[in-house]
PDB file of all heavy atoms in Angstrom:
ATOM      1  N   GLY A 396      61.034 249.632  20.988  1.00 98.00           N
ATOM      2  CA  GLY A 396      61.478 250.958  20.566  1.00 98.00           C
ATOM      3  C   GLY A 396      60.779 252.104  21.254  1.00 98.00           C
ATOM      4  O   GLY A 396      61.134 253.269  21.041  1.00 98.00           O
ATOM      5  N   ASP A 397      59.776 251.819  22.078  1.00 98.00           N
ATOM      6  CA  ASP A 397      59.045 252.877  22.776  1.00 98.00           C
ATOM      7  C   ASP A 397      59.912 253.545  23.850  1.00 98.00           C
ATOM      8  O   ASP A 397      60.852 252.948  24.392  1.00 98.00           O
ATOM      9  CB  ASP A 397      57.795 252.309  23.468  1.00 98.00           C
ATOM     10  CG  ASP A 397      56.596 252.248  22.542  1.00 98.00           C
ATOM     11  OD1 ASP A 397      56.686 252.732  21.396  1.00 98.00           O
ATOM     12  OD2 ASP A 397      55.549 251.705  22.965  1.00 98.00           O
ATOM     13  N   HIS A 398      59.545 254.790  24.156  1.00 98.00           N
ATOM     14  CA  HIS A 398      60.097 255.526  25.288  1.00 98.00           C
ATOM     15  C   HIS A 398      59.026 255.586  26.376  1.00 98.00           C
ATOM     16  O   HIS A 398      57.901 256.006  26.115  1.00 98.00           O
ATOM     17  CB  HIS A 398      60.504 256.945  24.890  1.00 98.00           C
ATOM     18  CG  HIS A 398      61.733 256.996  24.042  1.00 98.00           C
ATOM     19  ND1 HIS A 398      62.933 257.473  24.511  1.00 98.00           N
ATOM     20  CD2 HIS A 398      61.949 256.620  22.755  1.00 98.00           C
ATOM     21  CE1 HIS A 398      63.839 257.403  23.556  1.00 98.00           C
ATOM     22  NE2 HIS A 398      63.266 256.888  22.470  1.00 98.00           N
ATOM     23  N   ILE A 399      59.391 255.164  27.579  1.00 98.00           N
ATOM     24  CA  ILE A 399      58.444 255.085  28.695  1.00 98.00           C
ATOM     25  C   ILE A 399      58.882 256.017  29.806  1.00 98.00           C
ATOM     26  O   ILE A 399      60.074 256.128  30.107  1.00 98.00           O
ATOM     27  CB  ILE A 399      58.368 253.646  29.241  1.00 98.00           C
ATOM     28  CG1 ILE A 399      57.891 252.684  28.154  1.00 98.00           C
ATOM     29  CG2 ILE A 399      57.450 253.559  30.449  1.00 98.00           C
ATOM     30  CD1 ILE A 399      57.928 251.237  28.577  1.00 98.00           C
ATOM     31  N   HIS A 400      57.919 256.692  30.424  1.00 98.00           N
ATOM     32  CA  HIS A 400      58.189 257.505  31.614  1.00 98.00           C
ATOM     33  C   HIS A 400      57.509 256.871  32.816  1.00 98.00           C
ATOM     34  O   HIS A 400      56.325 256.525  32.756  1.00 98.00           O
ATOM     35  CB  HIS A 400      57.671 258.932  31.447  1.00 98.00           C
ATOM     36  CG  HIS A 400      57.854 259.769  32.687  1.00 98.00           C
ATOM     37  ND1 HIS A 400      59.013 260.475  32.931  1.00 98.00           N
ATOM     38  CD2 HIS A 400      57.043 259.981  33.765  1.00 98.00           C
ATOM     39  CE1 HIS A 400      58.906 261.098  34.109  1.00 98.00           C
ATOM     40  NE2 HIS A 400      57.727 260.807  34.629  1.00 98.00           N
ATOM     41  N   CYS A 428      63.253 252.328  25.865  1.00 98.00           N
ATOM     42  CA  CYS A 428      63.969 253.311  26.700  1.00 98.00           C
ATOM     43  C   CYS A 428      63.084 253.717  27.878  1.00 98.00           C
ATOM     44  O   CYS A 428      61.902 254.015  27.696  1.00 98.00           O
ATOM     45  CB  CYS A 428      64.328 254.544  25.885  1.00 98.00           C
ATOM     46  SG  CYS A 428      65.675 254.267  24.716  1.00 98.00           S
ATOM     47  N   HIS A 430      62.605 256.300  31.175  1.00 98.00           N
ATOM     48  CA  HIS A 430      63.001 257.597  31.730  1.00 98.00           C
ATOM     49  C   HIS A 430      62.260 257.870  33.041  1.00 98.00           C
ATOM     50  O   HIS A 430      61.106 257.476  33.204  1.00 98.00           O
ATOM     51  CB  HIS A 430      62.681 258.721  30.742  1.00 98.00           C
ATOM     52  CG  HIS A 430      63.170 258.472  29.351  1.00 98.00           C
ATOM     53  ND1 HIS A 430      64.502 258.507  29.022  1.00 98.00           N
ATOM     54  CD2 HIS A 430      62.511 258.176  28.195  1.00 98.00           C
ATOM     55  CE1 HIS A 430      64.653 258.248  27.738  1.00 98.00           C
ATOM     56  NE2 HIS A 430      63.444 258.035  27.214  1.00 98.00           N
ATOM     57  N   GLN A 452      67.522 255.470  30.807  1.00 97.00           N
ATOM     58  CA  GLN A 452      68.127 256.778  30.554  1.00 97.00           C
ATOM     59  C   GLN A 452      67.417 257.795  31.443  1.00 97.00           C
ATOM     60  O   GLN A 452      66.572 258.561  30.993  1.00 97.00           O
ATOM     61  CB  GLN A 452      67.974 257.172  29.082  1.00 97.00           C
ATOM     62  CG  GLN A 452      68.710 256.276  28.106  1.00 97.00           C
ATOM     63  CD  GLN A 452      68.448 256.686  26.663  1.00 97.00           C
ATOM     64  OE1 GLN A 452      67.313 256.986  26.283  1.00 97.00           O
ATOM     65  NE2 GLN A 452      69.491 256.710  25.856  1.00 97.00           N
ATOM     66  N   PHE A 454      66.919 260.906  34.429  1.00 98.00           N
ATOM     67  CA  PHE A 454      67.344 262.293  34.570  1.00 98.00           C
ATOM     68  C   PHE A 454      68.160 262.513  35.844  1.00 98.00           C
ATOM     69  O   PHE A 454      68.577 263.632  36.124  1.00 98.00           O
ATOM     70  CB  PHE A 454      66.121 263.222  34.592  1.00 98.00           C
ATOM     71  CG  PHE A 454      65.141 262.973  33.474  1.00 98.00           C
ATOM     72  CD1 PHE A 454      63.775 263.007  33.702  1.00 98.00           C
ATOM     73  CD2 PHE A 454      65.584 262.713  32.189  1.00 98.00           C
ATOM     74  CE1 PHE A 454      62.869 262.782  32.685  1.00 98.00           C
ATOM     75  CE2 PHE A 454      64.691 262.488  31.152  1.00 98.00           C
ATOM     76  CZ  PHE A 454      63.326 262.518  31.406  1.00 98.00           C
ATOM     77  N   LEU A 482      62.046 268.573  28.071  1.00 98.00           N
ATOM     78  CA  LEU A 482      62.456 267.497  27.172  1.00 98.00           C
ATOM     79  C   LEU A 482      61.239 266.895  26.477  1.00 98.00           C
ATOM     80  O   LEU A 482      61.251 266.625  25.276  1.00 98.00           O
ATOM     81  CB  LEU A 482      63.202 266.405  27.949  1.00 98.00           C
ATOM     82  CG  LEU A 482      64.616 266.720  28.419  1.00 98.00           C
ATOM     83  CD1 LEU A 482      65.160 265.566  29.256  1.00 98.00           C
ATOM     84  CD2 LEU A 482      65.542 266.993  27.229  1.00 98.00           C
ATOM     85  N   TYR A 483      60.170 266.662  27.258  1.00 98.00           N
ATOM     86  CA  TYR A 483      58.947 266.092  26.696  1.00 98.00           C
ATOM     87  C   TYR A 483      58.149 267.125  25.905  1.00 98.00           C
ATOM     88  O   TYR A 483      57.716 266.866  24.777  1.00 98.00           O
ATOM     89  CB  TYR A 483      58.076 265.516  27.808  1.00 98.00           C
ATOM     90  CG  TYR A 483      58.648 264.288  28.480  1.00 98.00           C
ATOM     91  CD1 TYR A 483      58.644 264.170  29.861  1.00 98.00           C
ATOM     92  CD2 TYR A 483      59.179 263.237  27.732  1.00 98.00           C
ATOM     93  CE1 TYR A 483      59.148 263.033  30.489  1.00 98.00           C
ATOM     94  CE2 TYR A 483      59.691 262.107  28.351  1.00 98.00           C
ATOM     95  CZ  TYR A 483      59.672 262.010  29.732  1.00 98.00           C
ATOM     96  OH  TYR A 483      60.181 260.893  30.337  1.00 98.00           O
ATOM     97  N   ARG A 484      57.948 268.276  26.504  1.00 98.00           N
ATOM     98  CA  ARG A 484      57.055 269.264  25.874  1.00 98.00           C
ATOM     99  C   ARG A 484      57.625 269.830  24.577  1.00 98.00           C
ATOM    100  O   ARG A 484      56.874 270.233  23.692  1.00 98.00           O
ATOM    101  CB  ARG A 484      56.735 270.380  26.876  1.00 98.00           C
ATOM    102  CG  ARG A 484      55.822 269.901  28.012  1.00 98.00           C
ATOM    103  CD  ARG A 484      55.548 270.990  29.030  1.00 98.00           C
ATOM    104  NE  ARG A 484      54.528 270.539  29.982  1.00 98.00           N
ATOM    105  CZ  ARG A 484      54.606 270.714  31.299  1.00 98.00           C
ATOM    106  NH1 ARG A 484      55.660 271.341  31.828  1.00 98.00           N
ATOM    107  NH2 ARG A 484      53.654 270.268  32.095  1.00 98.00           N
ATOM    108  N   SER A 485      58.957 269.877  24.475  1.00 98.00           N
ATOM    109  CA  SER A 485      59.585 270.392  23.258  1.00 98.00           C
ATOM    110  C   SER A 485      59.713 269.330  22.187  1.00 98.00           C
ATOM    111  O   SER A 485      59.999 269.634  21.024  1.00 98.00           O
ATOM    112  CB  SER A 485      60.979 270.932  23.589  1.00 98.00           C
ATOM    113  OG  SER A 485      61.866 269.869  23.916  1.00 98.00           O
ATOM    114  N   GLY A 486      59.531 268.070  22.581  1.00 97.00           N
ATOM    115  CA  GLY A 486      59.711 266.976  21.636  1.00 97.00           C
ATOM    116  C   GLY A 486      61.144 266.499  21.525  1.00 97.00           C
ATOM    117  O   GLY A 486      61.450 265.613  20.720  1.00 97.00           O
ATOM    118  N   ALA A 487      62.049 267.077  22.321  1.00 98.00           N
ATOM    119  CA  ALA A 487      63.444 266.630  22.289  1.00 98.00           C
ATOM    120  C   ALA A 487      63.561 265.171  22.707  1.00 98.00           C
ATOM    121  O   ALA A 487      64.444 264.450  22.248  1.00 98.00           O
ATOM    122  CB  ALA A 487      64.299 267.514  23.203  1.00 98.00           C
ATOM    123  N   LEU A 488      62.655 264.755  23.590  1.00 98.00           N
ATOM    124  CA  LEU A 488      62.614 263.369  24.041  1.00 98.00           C
ATOM    125  C   LEU A 488      61.186 262.871  23.867  1.00 98.00           C
ATOM    126  O   LEU A 488      60.256 263.470  24.405  1.00 98.00           O
ATOM    127  CB  LEU A 488      63.028 263.289  25.513  1.00 98.00           C
ATOM    128  CG  LEU A 488      63.318 261.897  26.092  1.00 98.00           C
ATOM    129  CD1 LEU A 488      64.572 261.315  25.445  1.00 98.00           C
ATOM    130  CD2 LEU A 488      63.504 261.984  27.599  1.00 98.00           C
ATOM    131  N   PRO A 489      60.985 261.793  23.113  1.00 98.00           N
ATOM    132  CA  PRO A 489      59.612 261.296  22.940  1.00 98.00           C
ATOM    133  C   PRO A 489      59.108 260.627  24.210  1.00 98.00           C
ATOM    134  O   PRO A 489      59.893 260.151  25.033  1.00 98.00           O
ATOM    135  CB  PRO A 489      59.731 260.285  21.803  1.00 98.00           C
ATOM    136  CG  PRO A 489      61.155 259.844  21.831  1.00 98.00           C
ATOM    137  CD  PRO A 489      61.959 261.011  22.341  1.00 98.00           C
ATOM    138  N   CYS A 490      57.814 260.607  24.377  1.00 98.00           N
ATOM    139  CA  CYS A 490      57.187 259.833  25.448  1.00 98.00           C
ATOM    140  C   CYS A 490      56.032 259.066  24.821  1.00 98.00           C
ATOM    141  O   CYS A 490      55.002 259.651  24.479  1.00 98.00           O
ATOM    142  CB  CYS A 490      56.685 260.726  26.576  1.00 98.00           C
ATOM    143  SG  CYS A 490      55.994 259.771  27.952  1.00 98.00           S
ATOM    144  N   ASP A 491      56.226 257.779  24.649  1.00 98.00           N
ATOM    145  CA  ASP A 491      55.189 256.956  24.052  1.00 98.00           C
ATOM    146  C   ASP A 491      54.179 256.482  25.083  1.00 98.00           C
ATOM    147  O   ASP A 491      52.973 256.515  24.849  1.00 98.00           O
ATOM    148  CB  ASP A 491      55.829 255.754  23.347  1.00 98.00           C
ATOM    149  CG  ASP A 491      56.724 256.182  22.203  1.00 98.00           C
ATOM    150  OD1 ASP A 491      56.199 256.715  21.212  1.00 98.00           O
ATOM    151  OD2 ASP A 491      57.954 256.013  22.315  1.00 98.00           O
ATOM    152  N   VAL A 492      54.693 256.056  26.242  1.00 98.00           N
ATOM    153  CA  VAL A 492      53.809 255.549  27.287  1.00 98.00           C
ATOM    154  C   VAL A 492      54.219 256.149  28.630  1.00 98.00           C
ATOM    155  O   VAL A 492      55.375 256.041  29.030  1.00 98.00           O
ATOM    156  CB  VAL A 492      53.867 254.003  27.381  1.00 98.00           C
ATOM    157  CG1 VAL A 492      52.889 253.504  28.440  1.00 98.00           C
ATOM    158  CG2 VAL A 492      53.557 253.369  26.031  1.00 98.00           C
ATOM    159  N   ALA A 518      54.958 264.329  30.887  1.00 98.00           N
ATOM    160  CA  ALA A 518      54.914 263.025  30.225  1.00 98.00           C
ATOM    161  C   ALA A 518      53.478 262.630  29.889  1.00 98.00           C
ATOM    162  O   ALA A 518      53.196 262.145  28.785  1.00 98.00           O
ATOM    163  CB  ALA A 518      55.573 261.975  31.116  1.00 98.00           C
ATOM    164  N   THR A 521      52.089 264.541  26.877  1.00 98.00           N
ATOM    165  CA  THR A 521      52.660 264.273  25.561  1.00 98.00           C
ATOM    166  C   THR A 521      52.636 262.792  25.160  1.00 98.00           C
ATOM    167  O   THR A 521      52.934 262.473  24.010  1.00 98.00           O
ATOM    168  CB  THR A 521      54.117 264.775  25.505  1.00 98.00           C
ATOM    169  OG1 THR A 521      54.873 264.162  26.563  1.00 98.00           O
ATOM    170  CG2 THR A 521      54.179 266.284  25.681  1.00 98.00           C
ATOM    171  N   ALA A 522      52.282 261.906  26.083  1.00 98.00           N
ATOM    172  CA  ALA A 522      52.353 260.466  25.807  1.00 98.00           C
ATOM    173  C   ALA A 522      51.289 260.010  24.814  1.00 98.00           C
ATOM    174  O   ALA A 522      50.191 260.572  24.738  1.00 98.00           O
ATOM    175  CB  ALA A 522      52.190 259.686  27.111  1.00 98.00           C
ATOM    176  N   ARG A 523      51.627 258.982  24.063  1.00 98.00           N
ATOM    177  CA  ARG A 523      50.637 258.334  23.204  1.00 98.00           C
ATOM    178  C   ARG A 523      49.564 257.661  24.052  1.00 98.00           C
ATOM    179  O   ARG A 523      48.375 257.721  23.747  1.00 98.00           O
ATOM    180  CB  ARG A 523      51.344 257.290  22.333  1.00 98.00           C
ATOM    181  CG  ARG A 523      50.430 256.545  21.359  1.00 98.00           C
ATOM    182  CD  ARG A 523      51.188 255.469  20.581  1.00 98.00           C
ATOM    183  NE  ARG A 523      51.373 254.252  21.386  1.00 98.00           N
ATOM    184  CZ  ARG A 523      52.552 253.724  21.671  1.00 98.00           C
ATOM    185  NH1 ARG A 523      53.668 254.315  21.248  1.00 98.00           N
ATOM    186  NH2 ARG A 523      52.635 252.612  22.397  1.00 98.00           N
TER     187      ARG A 523
END
Side-chain angles (χ1 to χ4, degrees):
D397 274 355
H398 288 251
I399 299 174
H400 176 88
C428 287
H430 310 289
Q452 295 177 317
F454 311 139
L482 287 176
Y483 292 135
R484 290 178 172 136
S485 70
L488 192 67
C490 183
D491 297 293
V492 182
T521 56
R523 181 183 80 238

